[in-house]
């Protein structure tokens, strides 16, 4: 959803998505481009500028993905409680 | 969504999700259990029977996940076309 508000450069995406490797971000963007969700525009400046932008298809995916994200935010406390309980049971059974 | 219609045994899930390895299914189910989305019930028969079932939290995740699945089915033709075009461009640039 980093591209929801318009085109972004590779370096901007890498900074915004903290902890992603150059290789993983490259592969992910190539996969999104191949699936028709993102376009990749190269501006022949020196150094060349590469911008990524959501296509119409990509924009249409925002709603279901945002709904999933909203579900996670809403239920994060329950998930954390469940993990704590699971881990303590696992500890007891050691 | 294999558990949407009620509890299922490990072996049923493995058969239903063709191509998943024993290890991957075990790890995935353990992760879902840890996150509080699935319960794991062991019936001490011989051999023991292990049933997995969606919790209330798991049931609440159905809607956003089904919406994402519906989006994929609806847009699969566009994705396939985009992939074919991407691959032929990649072929040309070799």
């Amino acid at each position: 959803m980093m591209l929801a508000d318009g085109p972004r450069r590779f370096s901007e995406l890498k900074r915004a998505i903290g902890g992603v490797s150059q290789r993983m971000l490259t592969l992910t963007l190539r996969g999104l481009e191949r699936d028709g969700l993102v376009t990749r525009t190269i501006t022949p400046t020196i150094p060349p500028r590469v911008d990524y932008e959501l296509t119409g298809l990509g924009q249409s995916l925002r709603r279901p993905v945002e709904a999933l994200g909203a579900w996670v935010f809403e239920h994060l406390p329950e998930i954390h409680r469940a993990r704590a309980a699971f881990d303590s049971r696992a500890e007891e059974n050691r």
Side-chain angles (χ1 to χ4, degrees), chain A:
Chain A
M1 292 295 107
M2 291 283 157
L3 294 170
D5 306 324
R8 292 245 192 149
R9 298 173 67 166
F10 186 92
S11 49
E12 284 177 278
L13 289 169
K14 189 158 185 324
R15 260 195 314 275
I17 309 166
V20 67
S21 71
Q22 180 101 359
R23 183 171 178 281
M24 186 48 71
L25 183 55
T26 302
L27 289 175
T28 303
L29 287 169
R30 189 173 300 154
L32 292 173
E33 186 187 355
R34 183 170 182 262
D35 288 347
L37 300 172
V38 157
T39 57
R40 183 167 170 269
T41 308
I42 303 171
T43 310
T45 49
I46 299 179
R49 174 191 172 119
V50 182
D51 284 286
Y52 292 89
E53 188 168 15
L54 283 179
T55 61
L57 187 61
Q59 287 286 356
S60 75
L61 183 54
R62 277 182 60 185
R63 180 177 293 184
V65 168
E66 282 170 356
L68 201 55
W71 183 92
V72 170
F73 273 111
E74 190 187 331
H75 295 91
L76 215 47
E78 288 164 81
I79 292 170
H80 285 152
R81 280 196 299 275
R83 287 180 177 175
F86 182 92
D87 293 346
S88 71
R89 282 194 310 271
E91 203 54 42
E92 283 160 26
N93 297 337
R94 276 212 185 152

